[in-house]
Amino acid sequence: MAGCGVRWQYILGAALSGALLLTAGILLGHYAIYKEPQTPEWLHSLSRDLDPALLEDFMNQVEAARIGQNLKDLSSKPHMATTKGDEELVQLILKAWRDPQTGLDSAMEGQYEVFLSFPDPEKPNSVAVVMENGSQAFISQETEKNLTADQADRDVVKPYAAYAPPGNPKGKLVYANQGKMSDYEYLVQQGIDLNGTIAITRYGGAGRADKAINGAKFGVVGVVVYTDPGDINDGKASATETYPYSWYLPPSGVERGSYNSHFGDLLTPYYPAKGEEKRLLPDITGIPPIPTQPIGFEDAKTLICNLAGNPVAEAAWQGALGCVYHLGPGFRQDGLFPNSRLPSNMCPSIFAKFLLLPPLDRYVLYGNHRDSWVHGAIDPSSGTAVMLEISRVLGKMVKEGKWRPRRSIIFGSWGAEEFGLIGSTEYTEEFYSKLQQRSVAYINVDIAVFANATLRAQGTPPAQSVIFAAVKTPAADSSLSVYENWKQHFSRNSSVYGVIPSLGSLGAGSDYASFIHYLGITSMDIAYTYDRSKTSARIYPAYHTAFDTFHYAETFIDPGFTSHQTVARTAGNVLIRLADALILPLNVSDYGETLQQMYSVAREAFQADLTHHNISLDPLWAAINRFQAAAAGLNQRIANLREEANPSPLDVRMVNDQLMLLERAFLNPRAFPEKYYYSHVIMASRSSSLATFPGLADAYDNAKEDGLWGEVHKQLTIVIQVIENAASILEPVAE
């Protein structure tokens, strides 16, 4: 996730589409630069469109070897937010962005004081088994085994659960699967008294913090979390079949992470973390109320394989530790730990600082966080390595006088993302109005390369068209385009286009979260990933561990860095199109297809019950029809403009504003008052498993339990209202 320092940089441009943010990096648009009035040339420049030769020139200049060297430099040392390693990366990125030959127009850094959580280096956290006589029969490893020398670095932070409270809970151990509410409820149904117990849970299924928050509701006093080889390693668990012999997680590997359900600084929700008067020290929510500690699956095996309890855990709860999983509570009398209990030590929290900066005119934003839990070669340095190569090429083109973008480009190197998307969120809070009024789109490239099989892109519907346009050119070393390869791995049947690549939706897993959910800015996340037919890993196996190193990346993730190169070409291509096209390459009709799909799911799942409670979906269908008609009308006006030799700058500005502001129309800050920052009615998080309007789906599920159908009607009204607002944004201004 992101580092504690945030960097920005600006560059002024005429035909280029690039901006930069380390502390702050910005490439200013051509029309932000004052020039002596020269009416004919000015009018000619206003009506020019993106030059395809520029895209080709950019693609040809992106070098895999340079990206590899960037990655090696970025991941040479651990760089948690606010640490010395993080600050050294700040200077490294600033140096690149200020380079006289390839740098941007300006590079700056700002500063926020934010609430971070670190362990006590003198008192490492642990999980231990203590016998009745007080002797210690087992203690978890302090950190990963030193397999390739990288793990021995003195700055490798020992595993801990960020934001979990300190404490020494003691109790019998129970196995709680993934720590979901339903998992704890199942244990109670099995007659297990959870009061005073410590739960051991697998990663996955529920958020990190939720595993402890849910457990505390049932009387659990502490939580231990581990990564099961059945979830990450395709069942591989032995030392000889895991890293450094393959990409699989070694038995001692521990996934670190932020145990925080919200994003942004916990003490200053909705305000930038500047000034003591804004801090809300009491009533922090969304963090574990009980001590929590992650461990490796080698240690988890010792604990789980000695658990008592009948019946055994059901089939869906079984993993790949090489034994039958029992539920507990406590250990078998014939196992390693008869008459024992489980204490553990947890971490305190401290304050820290991070950096950032602001932009100009119309903006295209491109961001990646800088901080990591350890060396972070894949997360996030693969993304930073790509960003530095994109900015190098664009900066060089600008310095050589080849190009300046129509719109300003802002590159952001976000701080403290790993602790909860803090740098990017504080930035959107500080510059809320400016960003909402002027931002065209946000491109996020966090983990650039999970693996080297295929593209994986996520985004809001208008982003689909520009991403597709960027990937339809065949790769230099293949007759198969990135588009066709992507379609072979992830595809869907579109009612409009037929079989096309599947664009994923955006949750809140990286720095795009505040841009889309809070500000309503069209957003996307671009990466290369693995072939799902060949592995069931939920993410690359070394994720957030001390094994996420340059050696791991170079050997098992992307030898030769060609997939990094492809991501750089793709993301840079999208960036240039958004920053330099005369008319923004965003297709609003794709939102119409999404809304229709969501309506179909809602009608199929809800209509019978809604009709029984006198709630009609007809107004929703009418709103969607209005939206689709408005989108089609705007597309026709755009087509007409494209046919004109010298379209009116005012007409161009008008349709571009409609394209830019559409996403804002879906915001309702009062729709989900219990969810920090979630204002986007169509893209908000949901508890329901149904892929439909999130507020409506959750209200329906709740009404089936509590009978509050009025809330269902309210959420339906909210959805209808934002869709009608969105339609009005797209309709001719005269109307």
Side-chain angles (χ1 to χ4, degrees):
M1 299 183 75
C4 195
V6 177
R7 311 289 185 254
W8 292 88
Q9 183 162 348
Y10 294 76
I11 291 188
L12 302 174
L16 176 59
S17 159
L20 186 57
L21 157 67
L22 164 52
T23 298
I26 299 179
L27 176 59
L28 301 180
H30 170 73
Y31 301 105
I33 301 175
Y34 174 78
K35 292 184 176 181
E36 292 295 329
Q38 295 180 353
T39 303
E41 179 59 31
W42 180 75
L43 286 175
H44 172 74
S45 183
L46 279 180
S47 61
R48 65 151 180 82
D49 206 349
L50 172 65
D51 183 359
L54 176 72
L55 291 172
E56 184 176 358
D57 188 15
F58 167 79
M59 304 277 274
N60 290 337
Q61 291 191 60
V62 173
E63 300 178 21
R66 285 183 181 270
I67 297 174
Q69 186 59 52
N70 289 344
L71 184 58
K72 187 173 184 179
D73 294 340
L74 291 163
S75 60
S76 62
K77 298 179 181 178
H79 48 279
M80 285 181 67
T82 73
T83 65
K84 180 182 177 182
D86 183 33
E87 288 303 313
E88 288 175 353
L89 289 194
V90 168
Q91 299 309 313
L92 183 153
I93 299 174
L94 281 176
K95 182 180 179 181
W97 285 351
R98 290 170 175 167
D99 185 278
Q101 277 74 50
T102 60
L104 304 187
D105 290 333
S106 64
M108 299 154 283
E109 57 183 276
Q111 213 175 69
Y112 299 111
E113 294 183 356
V114 302
F115 183 51
L116 303 183
S117 168
F118 295 105
D120 184 343
E122 304 303 320
K123 298 177 181 178
N125 298 333
S126 63
V127 174
V129 176
V130 178
M131 309 303 287
E132 279 189 343
N133 62 10
S135 64
Q136 193 174 84
F138 164 86
I139 187 168
S140 61
Q141 299 171 61
E142 287 187 3
T143 192
E144 287 94 339
K145 291 179 179 176
N146 180 19
L147 301 181
T148 62
D150 300 289
Q151 294 76 47
D153 191 302
R154 59 180 296 178
D155 292 328
V156 170
V157 67
K158 292 179 172 58
Y160 76 111
Y163 296 112
N168 293 284
K170 300 176 178 65
K172 289 187 174 182
L173 187 68
V174 295
Y175 172 54
N177 192 31
Q178 296 176 323
K180 304 187 294 290
M181 280 294 292
S182 59
D183 293 336
Y184 289 110
E185 289 168 351
Y186 174 77
L187 292 176
V188 172
Q189 291 166 6
Q190 299 304 306
I192 297 175
D193 182 2
L194 293 176
N195 279 301
T197 61
I198 292 176
I200 185 167
T201 69
R202 301 150 62 164
Y203 273 118
R208 295 187 189 97
D210 291 332
K211 297 176 190 298
I213 293 171
N214 294 340
K217 295 175 181 178
F218 292 85
V220 172
V221 296
V223 172
V224 180
V225 189
Y226 79 101
T227 302
D228 198 284
D231 299 326
I232 201 83
N233 277 6
D234 296 319
K236 303 292 192 301
S238 72
T240 58
E241 55 188 356
T242 56
Y243 184 73
Y245 305 103
S246 75
W247 83 320
Y248 292 121
L249 180 66
S252 66
V254 184
E255 180 182 320
R256 296 150 180 80
S258 176
Y259 285 67
N260 174 12
S261 298
H262 305 318
F263 51 88
D265 177 40
L266 291 172
L267 303 186
T268 59
Y270 297 108
Y271 300 96
K274 291 187 171 185
E276 292 298 325
E277 71 280 359
K278 295 179 181 177
R279 301 196 180 282
L280 308 176
L281 284 171
D283 302 324
I284 294 176
T285 61
I287 60 176
I290 55 178
T292 307
Q293 175 66 21
I295 62 174
F297 69 76
E298 183 174 28
D299 286 336
K301 178 177 181 178
T302 302
L303 299 174
I304 290 176
C305 291
N306 280 280
L307 276 175
N310 284 306
V312 301
E314 61 182 29
W317 288 35
Q318 296 294 326
L321 293 178
C323 63
V324 175
Y325 293 21
H326 289 255
L327 301 177
F331 297 112
R332 304 192 321 266
Q333 288 301 307
D334 61 345
L336 294 178
F337 313 122
N339 303 318
S340 60
R341 59 189 179 180
L342 194 80
S344 56
N345 303 305
M346 307 298 170
C347 65
S349 298
I350 64 169
F351 283 98
K353 295 182 179 180
F354 80 76
L355 318 167
L356 195 112
L357 211 228
L360 301 173
D361 73 313
R362 285 289 184 263
Y363 318 135
V364 180
L365 300 111
Y366 182 116
N368 165 238
H369 74 93
R370 183 184 58 262
D371 66 308
S372 67
W373 287 111
V374 193
H375 290 84
I378 303 302
D379 182 12
S381 297
S382 63
T384 305
V386 162
M387 181 170 67
L388 287 176
E389 178 62 0
I390 292 173
S391 66
R392 179 193 71 82
V393 176
L394 296 184
K396 181 173 179 286
M397 294 166 72
V398 169
K399 289 297 189 340
E400 291 175 348
K402 291 182 177 180
W403 178 68
R404 272 201 172 275
R406 178 180 299 273
R407 303 172 187 93
S408 295
I409 301 170
I410 301 172
F411 288 93
S413 178
W414 306 115
E417 186 265 0
E418 295 292 6
F419 287 89
L421 318 181
I422 293 179
S424 55
T425 302
E426 299 308 300
Y427 177 76
T428 58
E429 289 171 344
E430 182 167 12
F431 301 105
Y432 176 89
S433 296
K434 183 182 290 188
L435 292 172
Q436 262 211 333
Q437 293 169 11
R438 303 177 185 176
S439 298
V440 167
Y442 175 70
I443 303 167
N444 195 70
V445 180
D446 182 344
I447 299 174
V449 180
F450 292 85
N452 58 8
T454 183
L455 188 74
R456 182 231 62 186
Q458 302 166 304
T460 54
Q464 176 177 276
S465 57
V466 67
I467 296 174
F468 282 3
V471 297
K472 286 187 175 180
T473 302
D477 56 350
S478 170
S479 60
L480 190 67
S481 67
V482 174
Y483 177 90
E484 291 297 332
N485 183 52
W486 180 14
K487 187 166 69 172
Q488 288 180 7
H489 286 85
F490 301 103
S491 65
R492 70 178 181 91
N493 284 307
S494 165
S495 60
V496 178
Y497 307 106
V499 179
I500 59 173
S502 178
L503 182 73
S505 60
L506 295 173
S510 191
D511 289 301
Y512 51 73
S514 60
F515 289 94
I516 179 58
H517 296 301
Y518 182 44
L519 296 184
I521 295 171
T522 294
S523 300
M524 66 205 78
D525 185 83
I526 299 171
Y528 239 63
T529 191
Y530 33 82
D531 186 339
R532 286 290 184 184
S533 69
K534 296 181 179 178
T535 178
S536 62
R538 62 180 176 85
I539 198 168
Y540 71 97
Y543 175 69
H544 285 191
T545 74
F547 301 111
D548 186 356
T549 63
F550 180 76
H551 175 267
Y552 180 82
E554 180 184 41
T555 307
F556 298 110
I557 299 297
D558 188 22
F561 303 101
T562 55
S563 293
H564 283 77
Q565 182 184 41
T566 299
V567 172
R569 287 172 170 168
T570 300
N573 192 310
V574 170
L575 177 62
I576 292 172
R577 289 173 185 273
L578 287 167
D580 213 32
L582 178 64
I583 297 174
L584 292 172
L586 303 172
N587 188 348
V588 295
S589 287
D590 289 337
Y591 238 125
E593 182 183 12
T594 297
L595 296 174
Q596 186 170 333
Q597 290 172 341
M598 297 175 93
Y599 170 82
S600 296
V601 172
R603 183 184 61 188
E604 178 70 22
F606 306 155
Q607 188 157 31
D609 282 328
L610 295 184
T611 300
H612 180 71
H613 290 89
N614 298 315
I615 301 172
S616 174
L617 289 176
D618 291 346
L620 175 59
W621 182 237
I624 293 172
N625 283 333
R626 178 185 171 189
F627 179 91
Q628 291 176 325
L634 178 61
N635 283 344
Q636 185 59 56
R637 295 195 297 279
I638 290 172
N640 295 340
L641 278 176
R642 293 189 189 281
E643 292 178 358
E644 297 180 20
N646 292 294
S648 163
L650 293 178
D651 288 340
V652 170
R653 177 73 173 212
M654 183 163 50
V655 299
N656 278 338
D657 281 354
Q658 290 174 292
L659 293 168
M660 180 181 75
L661 296 174
L662 169 63
E663 209 80 63
R664 277 46 142 206
F666 291 113
L667 298 182
N668 183 332
R670 295 178 178 83
F672 316 111
E674 74 287 359
K675 296 180 180 180
Y676 281 161
Y677 301 102
Y678 284 101
S679 299
H680 199 298
V681 172
I682 309 302
M683 298 296 163
S685 66
R686 67 174 189 271
S687 300
S688 172
S689 60
L690 293 171
T692 185
F693 306 101
L696 179 62
D698 287 351
Y700 174 83
D701 283 355
N702 292 336
K704 294 285 284 184
E705 297 290 331
D706 57 28
L708 298 178
W709 292 94
E711 182 63 23
V712 177
H713 198 182
K714 174 184 175 182
Q715 288 297 327
L716 177 60
T717 301
I718 289 171
V719 171
I720 294 168
Q721 185 257 340
V722 297
I723 294 174
E724 289 180 337
N725 275 351
S728 71
I729 287 287
L730 302 182
E731 290 165 349
V733 174
E735 297 179 8

